[in-house]
Amino acid sequence: MSYEFLIVDPQVEQHIALIKLHRPKELNALNRQLMQELQQALQELDEDEKVRVIVLTGDEKAFAAGADIRQMADATALDLLKLNQFATWDQVKKTRKPMIAAVSGFALGGGCELMMHCDLIVASETARIGQPEIKLGVIPGAGGTQRLTRSLGKALAMELVLTGRSLTAEEALRIGLINKVVPVELYLQEAIHLAKQVAENSPIATQLAKESVLHAFNTTLDEGLHLERKNFYLCFAGEDQKEGMHAFIEKRKPVFKGK
Ligand code: CAA
């Protein structure tokens, strides 16, 4: 499958796929076609048994500068309702494999929201992260008000959403929004390095772990604990758990097959 606004490498390293947003002149603004392509690519990679981790990136200047303002500027509420503007984002949310964002430059509006859909985030020192929608007379629409608040708490989320100010990479790291900051020439390499560490583990366990952690945002403690316990038991349905535990006992490195 070829794409106009994405570059997809299903095997950038063993078990690791790379999706690069590729609309450089528009700072990777997320127009509808790009989001449809992303929906398609994520679905295919999520179903591809060879892929264990997906790295999502943009380019040095921008991860993504938000939803496409030109495409939205003259829309009516009914246009957006009929188009179901954000439906393509549902695939980003439901991708079962761990996703790692490699962010450089602008991650604003929908770009910040896309970054926050990822499970781990590596940023370059140049990253600028925020939700500037308020300056356009609107509010975040792809989860920004909810995910920022759950990650950062009310005070900071409210400040970012009401003022539209963006965070530096260092600030985002300090407040726990992202995992790592590295020099700009290293951000993609570092994200792939992190992806390799995740990909060495059982893909069954990593998917169940991802599901369990994300559930914590969405439910009561009791329900979350219930899902975690079930997913723990489920790990014992496959060969990977036997391999992992026997490798430990035999003092060797496990080889996980995703079975
Ligand atoms: N949509 C459409 N086009 C965009 C864009 C966007 N979100 N962001 C940048 N572009 C375009 C610019 O219009 C410009 O195109 P032209 O060369 O044809 O004029 C090109 O990308 C380069 O941008 P700038 O010249 O503005 O570059 P800069 O370095 O001077 O500024 C910037 C960079 C600060 C990121 C600035 O482009 C900017 O403020 N962009 C908009 C950011 C924004 O408000 N994002 C939120 C969008 S709404 C949203 O995302 C809703 C949601 O919740 C999903």
Side-chain angles (χ1 to χ4, degrees), residues 98-171:
M99 288 170 54
I100 301 182
V103 176
S104 180
F106 301 110
L108 299 176
C112 178
E113 290 166 309
L114 186 58
M115 180 199 88
M116 286 193 288
H117 275 75
C118 294
D119 305 301
L120 294 166
I121 300 163
V122 176
S124 89
E125 288 163 343
T126 64
R128 292 292 176 275
I129 297 165
Q131 301 283 165
E133 288 89 342
I134 204 78
K135 297 178 182 175
L136 300 169
V138 294
I139 68 169
T145 62
Q146 304 305 299
R147 288 197 173 85
L148 271 182
T149 309
R150 280 167 163 79
S151 289
L152 306 179
K154 178 185 160 193
L156 198 45
M158 198 64 101
E159 181 191 328
L160 295 176
V161 169
L162 291 184
T163 66
R165 104 170 155 87
S166 55
L167 301 164
T168 62
E170 277 305 331
E171 195 178 358

Side-chain angles (χ1 to χ4, degrees), residues 54-75:
I54 300 164
V55 176
L56 182 60
T57 196
D59 52 47
E60 230 174 84
K61 181 144 192 228
F63 177 70
D68 190 315
I69 298 168
R70 284 204 174 87
Q71 205 171 42
M72 281 184 301
D74 296 318

Side-chain angles (χ1 to χ4, degrees), residues 218-255:
N218 226 3
T219 189
T220 62
L221 179 60
D222 268 352
E223 276 182 29
L225 292 171
H226 186 64
L227 179 81
E228 182 195 75
R229 187 175 298 180
K230 278 195 172 172
N231 279 348
F232 180 82
Y233 295 155
L234 198 49
C235 292
F236 286 71
E239 292 171 18
D240 280 356
Q241 168 271 328
K242 301 283 174 292
E243 169 63 10
M245 293 194 174
H246 285 283
F248 173 80
I249 294 163
E250 291 157 19
K251 300 190 188 300
R252 62 175 174 82
K253 207 170 176 264
V255 181

